[in-house]
């Protein structure tokens, strides 16, 4: 855990955040500033700064995160579809430097993003 990382603190339970899913390796919680009726963040508990910093050892973890995304989409009733976004680095619009997967759904989403 990085003591100055917001998402490390959330994952550790420091803010008593409600988790939609929690496993040994990941947590999922609702975005504080939702961009869609469903806006959930799925994050690894371990501090990984961004997608650009993944290593081969993270292969299983990434699969676990994708399956959690699918499970949450089902729980949220996103039968008409949804979007998964991983903003990466300054050009990607990443504002929190702890890897996170946005799950967005519940409305028709536009493409391309800005
Ligand atoms: P990104 O811009 O891709 O790095 O996404 C960071 C996301 O974290 C944004 O959608 C924020 O609304 C969200 N966020 C920031 N602080 C919190 C928090 N305390 N709890 C839940 N979501 C947060």
């Amino acid at each position: 855990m990085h003591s100055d990382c917001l998402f490390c603190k959330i994952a550790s339970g420091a803010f008593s955040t409600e988790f939609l899913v929690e496993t040994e390796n990941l947590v999922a919680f609702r975005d504080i500033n939702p961009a869609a009726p469903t806006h959930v963040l799925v994050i690894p508990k371990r501090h990984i700064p961004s997608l650009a910093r993944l290593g081969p050892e993270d292969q299983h973890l990434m699969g676990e995160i994708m399956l959690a995304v699918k499970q949450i989409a089902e729980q949220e009733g996103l039968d008409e579809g949804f979007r998964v976004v991983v903003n990466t680095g300054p050009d990607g619009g990443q504002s929190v430097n702890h890897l996170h997967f946005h799950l967005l759904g519940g409305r028709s989403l536009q493409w391309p993003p800005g």
Side-chain angles (χ1 to χ4, degrees):
M1 169 167 163
H2 284 207
S3 56
D4 57 348
C5 171
L6 172 64
F7 283 3
C8 280
K9 287 181 190 159
I10 288 176
S12 75
F15 302 132
S16 302
T17 305
E18 183 187 344
F19 296 142
L20 285 74
V21 172
E22 178 174 16
T23 73
E24 183 185 352
N25 298 315
L26 64 83
V27 295
F29 54 93
R30 295 195 191 279
D31 197 292
I32 201 167
N33 185 24
T38 291
H39 188 170
V40 173
L41 301 174
V42 185
I43 71 169
K45 286 185 173 176
R46 181 162 59 86
H47 184 80
I48 301 172
S50 83
L51 195 71
R53 299 284 292 278
L54 285 179
E57 69 278 12
D58 298 315
Q59 189 169 353
H60 180 83
L61 174 63
M62 292 303 100
E64 194 183 333
I65 287 177
M66 284 298 102
L67 288 171
V69 166
K70 179 206 166 212
Q71 178 191 331
I72 296 162
E74 286 174 358
Q75 286 173 6
E76 294 286 307
L78 303 179
D79 303 331
E80 298 301 315
F82 54 88
R83 185 172 293 166
V84 181
V85 174
V86 187
N87 295 325
T88 304
D91 277 3
Q94 183 176 5
S95 63
V96 177
N97 292 323
H98 179 127
L99 177 61
H100 50 282
F101 293 70
H102 296 257
L103 167 62
L104 297 149
R107 67 173 172 84
S108 181
L109 299 162
Q110 304 304 303
W111 191 264

